PDB file of all heavy atoms in Angstrom:
ATOM      1  N   GLU M 287      14.958  52.888  92.094  1.00 95.00           N
ATOM      2  CA  GLU M 287      15.186  53.575  90.822  1.00 95.00           C
ATOM      3  C   GLU M 287      15.609  55.019  91.097  1.00 95.00           C
ATOM      4  O   GLU M 287      15.384  55.535  92.189  1.00 95.00           O
ATOM      5  CB  GLU M 287      13.892  53.582  89.980  1.00 95.00           C
ATOM      6  CG  GLU M 287      13.296  52.208  89.711  1.00 95.00           C
ATOM      7  CD  GLU M 287      14.167  51.360  88.793  1.00 95.00           C
ATOM      8  OE1 GLU M 287      14.985  51.942  88.056  1.00 95.00           O
ATOM      9  OE2 GLU M 287      14.026  50.111  88.835  1.00 95.00           O
ATOM     10  N   ALA M 288      16.181  55.645  90.068  1.00 96.00           N
ATOM     11  CA  ALA M 288      16.531  57.062  90.189  1.00 96.00           C
ATOM     12  C   ALA M 288      15.259  57.902  90.254  1.00 96.00           C
ATOM     13  O   ALA M 288      14.252  57.551  89.650  1.00 96.00           O
ATOM     14  CB  ALA M 288      17.380  57.482  88.999  1.00 96.00           C
ATOM     15  N   LEU M 289      15.309  59.004  90.997  1.00 97.00           N
ATOM     16  CA  LEU M 289      14.157  59.901  91.093  1.00 97.00           C
ATOM     17  C   LEU M 289      14.518  61.260  90.518  1.00 97.00           C
ATOM     18  O   LEU M 289      15.676  61.670  90.550  1.00 97.00           O
ATOM     19  CB  LEU M 289      13.713  60.048  92.555  1.00 97.00           C
ATOM     20  CG  LEU M 289      13.262  58.792  93.285  1.00 97.00           C
ATOM     21  CD1 LEU M 289      12.800  59.130  94.699  1.00 97.00           C
ATOM     22  CD2 LEU M 289      12.146  58.076  92.520  1.00 97.00           C
ATOM     23  N   GLU M 290      13.526  61.954  90.005  1.00 95.00           N
ATOM     24  CA  GLU M 290      13.740  63.296  89.467  1.00 95.00           C
ATOM     25  C   GLU M 290      13.327  64.341  90.507  1.00 95.00           C
ATOM     26  O   GLU M 290      12.395  64.101  91.290  1.00 95.00           O
ATOM     27  CB  GLU M 290      12.908  63.500  88.195  1.00 95.00           C
ATOM     28  CG  GLU M 290      13.281  62.558  87.049  1.00 95.00           C
ATOM     29  CD  GLU M 290      14.714  62.745  86.576  1.00 95.00           C
ATOM     30  OE1 GLU M 290      15.190  63.904  86.588  1.00 95.00           O
ATOM     31  OE2 GLU M 290      15.362  61.748  86.219  1.00 95.00           O
ATOM     32  N   GLY M 291      13.996  65.472  90.473  1.00 95.00           N
ATOM     33  CA  GLY M 291      13.596  66.605  91.313  1.00 95.00           C
ATOM     34  C   GLY M 291      13.295  66.224  92.749  1.00 95.00           C
ATOM     35  O   GLY M 291      14.120  65.611  93.411  1.00 95.00           O
ATOM     36  N   LEU M 292      12.105  66.570  93.207  1.00 97.00           N
ATOM     37  CA  LEU M 292      11.723  66.301  94.596  1.00 97.00           C
ATOM     38  C   LEU M 292      10.710  65.163  94.698  1.00 97.00           C
ATOM     39  O   LEU M 292       9.889  65.119  95.622  1.00 97.00           O
ATOM     40  CB  LEU M 292      11.169  67.579  95.242  1.00 97.00           C
ATOM     41  CG  LEU M 292      12.155  68.747  95.333  1.00 97.00           C
ATOM     42  CD1 LEU M 292      11.494  69.985  95.918  1.00 97.00           C
ATOM     43  CD2 LEU M 292      13.376  68.357  96.179  1.00 97.00           C
ATOM     44  N   GLU M 293      10.773  64.243  93.749  1.00 97.00           N
ATOM     45  CA  GLU M 293       9.849  63.089  93.754  1.00 97.00           C
ATOM     46  C   GLU M 293       9.904  62.288  95.045  1.00 97.00           C
ATOM     47  O   GLU M 293       8.948  61.603  95.392  1.00 97.00           O
ATOM     48  CB  GLU M 293      10.152  62.160  92.561  1.00 97.00           C
ATOM     49  CG  GLU M 293       9.693  62.687  91.226  1.00 97.00           C
ATOM     50  CD  GLU M 293      10.062  61.761  90.068  1.00 97.00           C
ATOM     51  OE1 GLU M 293      10.863  60.821  90.275  1.00 97.00           O
ATOM     52  OE2 GLU M 293       9.548  61.987  88.965  1.00 97.00           O
ATOM     53  N   ILE M 294      11.027  62.396  95.742  1.00 97.00           N
ATOM     54  CA  ILE M 294      11.167  61.641  96.988  1.00 97.00           C
ATOM     55  C   ILE M 294      10.069  62.014  97.984  1.00 97.00           C
ATOM     56  O   ILE M 294       9.684  61.196  98.823  1.00 97.00           O
ATOM     57  CB  ILE M 294      12.578  61.884  97.607  1.00 97.00           C
ATOM     58  CG1 ILE M 294      12.831  60.949  98.792  1.00 97.00           C
ATOM     59  CG2 ILE M 294      12.740  63.337  98.064  1.00 97.00           C
ATOM     60  CD1 ILE M 294      12.953  59.487  98.447  1.00 97.00           C
ATOM     61  N   THR M 295       9.527  63.210  97.883  1.00 96.00           N
ATOM     62  CA  THR M 295       8.499  63.651  98.847  1.00 96.00           C
ATOM     63  C   THR M 295       7.221  62.827  98.730  1.00 96.00           C
ATOM     64  O   THR M 295       6.396  62.836  99.639  1.00 96.00           O
ATOM     65  CB  THR M 295       8.149  65.142  98.641  1.00 96.00           C
ATOM     66  OG1 THR M 295       7.738  65.333  97.286  1.00 96.00           O
ATOM     67  CG2 THR M 295       9.344  66.024  98.959  1.00 96.00           C
ATOM     68  N   ALA M 296       7.043  62.105  97.619  1.00 95.00           N
ATOM     69  CA  ALA M 296       5.852  61.268  97.453  1.00 95.00           C
ATOM     70  C   ALA M 296       6.099  59.844  97.944  1.00 95.00           C
ATOM     71  O   ALA M 296       5.171  59.035  98.002  1.00 95.00           O
ATOM     72  CB  ALA M 296       5.435  61.241  95.982  1.00 95.00           C
ATOM     73  N   HIS M 297       7.343  59.549  98.313  1.00 96.00           N
ATOM     74  CA  HIS M 297       7.682  58.198  98.764  1.00 96.00           C
ATOM     75  C   HIS M 297       7.015  57.925 100.120  1.00 96.00           C
ATOM     76  O   HIS M 297       7.070  58.765 101.021  1.00 96.00           O
ATOM     77  CB  HIS M 297       9.199  58.077  98.890  1.00 96.00           C
ATOM     78  CG  HIS M 297       9.692  56.673  99.035  1.00 96.00           C
ATOM     79  ND1 HIS M 297       9.621  55.986 100.224  1.00 96.00           N
ATOM     80  CD2 HIS M 297      10.251  55.816  98.135  1.00 96.00           C
ATOM     81  CE1 HIS M 297      10.130  54.778 100.046  1.00 96.00           C
ATOM     82  NE2 HIS M 297      10.516  54.645  98.788  1.00 96.00           N
ATOM     83  N   PRO M 298       6.383  56.755 100.284  1.00 96.00           N
ATOM     84  CA  PRO M 298       5.674  56.423 101.529  1.00 96.00           C
ATOM     85  C   PRO M 298       6.545  56.585 102.776  1.00 96.00           C
ATOM     86  O   PRO M 298       6.086  57.090 103.809  1.00 96.00           O
ATOM     87  CB  PRO M 298       5.290  54.955 101.350  1.00 96.00           C
ATOM     88  CG  PRO M 298       5.327  54.705  99.892  1.00 96.00           C
ATOM     89  CD  PRO M 298       6.277  55.671  99.282  1.00 96.00           C
ATOM     90  N   GLU M 299       7.785  56.170 102.645  1.00 95.00           N
ATOM     91  CA  GLU M 299       8.692  56.263 103.789  1.00 95.00           C
ATOM     92  C   GLU M 299       8.946  57.729 104.163  1.00 95.00           C
ATOM     93  O   GLU M 299       9.036  58.076 105.342  1.00 95.00           O
ATOM     94  CB  GLU M 299      10.018  55.578 103.431  1.00 95.00           C
ATOM     95  CG  GLU M 299      10.617  54.762 104.560  1.00 95.00           C
ATOM     96  CD  GLU M 299      11.884  54.040 104.110  1.00 95.00           C
ATOM     97  OE1 GLU M 299      11.842  53.319 103.070  1.00 95.00           O
ATOM     98  OE2 GLU M 299      12.919  54.203 104.771  1.00 95.00           O
ATOM     99  N   PHE M 300       9.057  58.564 103.139  1.00 96.00           N
ATOM    100  CA  PHE M 300       9.277  59.995 103.376  1.00 96.00           C
ATOM    101  C   PHE M 300       8.080  60.606 104.095  1.00 96.00           C
ATOM    102  O   PHE M 300       8.227  61.346 105.074  1.00 96.00           O
ATOM    103  CB  PHE M 300       9.517  60.714 102.041  1.00 96.00           C
ATOM    104  CG  PHE M 300       9.828  62.178 102.201  1.00 96.00           C
ATOM    105  CD1 PHE M 300      11.133  62.623 102.305  1.00 96.00           C
ATOM    106  CD2 PHE M 300       8.796  63.117 102.246  1.00 96.00           C
ATOM    107  CE1 PHE M 300      11.421  63.970 102.462  1.00 96.00           C
ATOM    108  CE2 PHE M 300       9.078  64.461 102.409  1.00 96.00           C
ATOM    109  CZ  PHE M 300      10.388  64.897 102.515  1.00 96.00           C
ATOM    110  N   VAL M 301       6.872  60.265 103.630  1.00 94.00           N
ATOM    111  CA  VAL M 301       5.648  60.795 104.234  1.00 94.00           C
ATOM    112  C   VAL M 301       5.542  60.336 105.682  1.00 94.00           C
ATOM    113  O   VAL M 301       5.191  61.108 106.577  1.00 94.00           O
ATOM    114  CB  VAL M 301       4.410  60.340 103.428  1.00 94.00           C
ATOM    115  CG1 VAL M 301       3.129  60.814 104.115  1.00 94.00           C
ATOM    116  CG2 VAL M 301       4.494  60.856 102.003  1.00 94.00           C
ATOM    117  N   ALA M 302       5.880  59.077 105.927  1.00 93.00           N
ATOM    118  CA  ALA M 302       5.795  58.544 107.293  1.00 93.00           C
ATOM    119  C   ALA M 302       6.776  59.271 108.222  1.00 93.00           C
ATOM    120  O   ALA M 302       6.459  59.529 109.381  1.00 93.00           O
ATOM    121  CB  ALA M 302       6.101  57.052 107.280  1.00 93.00           C
ATOM    122  N   LEU M 303       7.943  59.622 107.722  1.00 92.00           N
ATOM    123  CA  LEU M 303       8.944  60.273 108.565  1.00 92.00           C
ATOM    124  C   LEU M 303       8.636  61.751 108.798  1.00 92.00           C
ATOM    125  O   LEU M 303       8.721  62.239 109.914  1.00 92.00           O
ATOM    126  CB  LEU M 303      10.336  60.151 107.908  1.00 92.00           C
ATOM    127  CG  LEU M 303      10.984  58.777 107.916  1.00 92.00           C
ATOM    128  CD1 LEU M 303      12.275  58.808 107.111  1.00 92.00           C
ATOM    129  CD2 LEU M 303      11.261  58.330 109.341  1.00 92.00           C
ATOM    130  N   PHE M 304       8.283  62.447 107.749  1.00 91.00           N
ATOM    131  CA  PHE M 304       8.221  63.900 107.839  1.00 91.00           C
ATOM    132  C   PHE M 304       6.806  64.471 107.797  1.00 91.00           C
ATOM    133  O   PHE M 304       6.605  65.631 108.146  1.00 91.00           O
ATOM    134  CB  PHE M 304       9.045  64.530 106.703  1.00 91.00           C
ATOM    135  CG  PHE M 304      10.479  64.097 106.716  1.00 91.00           C
ATOM    136  CD1 PHE M 304      11.000  63.327 105.689  1.00 91.00           C
ATOM    137  CD2 PHE M 304      11.309  64.463 107.773  1.00 91.00           C
ATOM    138  CE1 PHE M 304      12.330  62.923 105.708  1.00 91.00           C
ATOM    139  CE2 PHE M 304      12.640  64.067 107.788  1.00 91.00           C
ATOM    140  CZ  PHE M 304      13.154  63.286 106.754  1.00 91.00           C
ATOM    141  N   GLY M 305       5.809  63.680 107.365  1.00 87.00           N
ATOM    142  CA  GLY M 305       4.437  64.176 107.295  1.00 87.00           C
ATOM    143  C   GLY M 305       4.289  65.232 106.216  1.00 87.00           C
ATOM    144  O   GLY M 305       5.208  65.471 105.429  1.00 87.00           O
ATOM    145  N   PRO M 306       3.142  65.902 106.177  1.00 85.00           N
ATOM    146  CA  PRO M 306       2.880  66.890 105.122  1.00 85.00           C
ATOM    147  C   PRO M 306       3.532  68.250 105.410  1.00 85.00           C
ATOM    148  O   PRO M 306       3.843  68.990 104.493  1.00 85.00           O
ATOM    149  CB  PRO M 306       1.356  67.007 105.129  1.00 85.00           C
ATOM    150  CG  PRO M 306       0.962  66.641 106.526  1.00 85.00           C
ATOM    151  CD  PRO M 306       1.991  65.677 107.051  1.00 85.00           C
ATOM    152  N   GLU M 307       3.757  68.563 106.677  1.00 87.00           N
ATOM    153  CA  GLU M 307       4.300  69.875 107.044  1.00 87.00           C
ATOM    154  C   GLU M 307       5.825  69.860 106.976  1.00 87.00           C
ATOM    155  O   GLU M 307       6.500  69.716 107.988  1.00 87.00           O
ATOM    156  CB  GLU M 307       3.856  70.263 108.461  1.00 87.00           C
ATOM    157  CG  GLU M 307       2.354  70.386 108.612  1.00 87.00           C
ATOM    158  CD  GLU M 307       1.807  71.513 107.745  1.00 87.00           C
ATOM    159  OE1 GLU M 307       2.385  72.622 107.784  1.00 87.00           O
ATOM    160  OE2 GLU M 307       0.825  71.262 107.019  1.00 87.00           O
ATOM    161  N   VAL M 308       6.369  69.988 105.785  1.00 93.00           N
ATOM    162  CA  VAL M 308       7.812  69.893 105.621  1.00 93.00           C
ATOM    163  C   VAL M 308       8.286  70.773 104.467  1.00 93.00           C
ATOM    164  O   VAL M 308       7.585  70.934 103.470  1.00 93.00           O
ATOM    165  CB  VAL M 308       8.223  68.419 105.386  1.00 93.00           C
ATOM    166  CG1 VAL M 308       7.608  67.893 104.118  1.00 93.00           C
ATOM    167  CG2 VAL M 308       9.721  68.267 105.395  1.00 93.00           C
ATOM    168  N   THR M 309       9.451  71.372 104.668  1.00 95.00           N
ATOM    169  CA  THR M 309      10.051  72.186 103.604  1.00 95.00           C
ATOM    170  C   THR M 309      11.354  71.512 103.184  1.00 95.00           C
ATOM    171  O   THR M 309      12.205  71.218 104.023  1.00 95.00           O
ATOM    172  CB  THR M 309      10.364  73.607 104.109  1.00 95.00           C
ATOM    173  OG1 THR M 309       9.164  74.152 104.676  1.00 95.00           O
ATOM    174  CG2 THR M 309      10.850  74.474 102.978  1.00 95.00           C
TER     175      THR M 309
END
Side-chain angles (χ1 to χ4, degrees):
Chain M
E287 304 292 338
L289 299 182
E290 298 298 325
L292 298 177
E293 286 178 348
I294 189 67
T295 56
H297 193 282
E299 220 176 307
F300 183 92
V301 176
L303 288 174
F304 302 114
E307 298 296 312
V308 62
T309 307

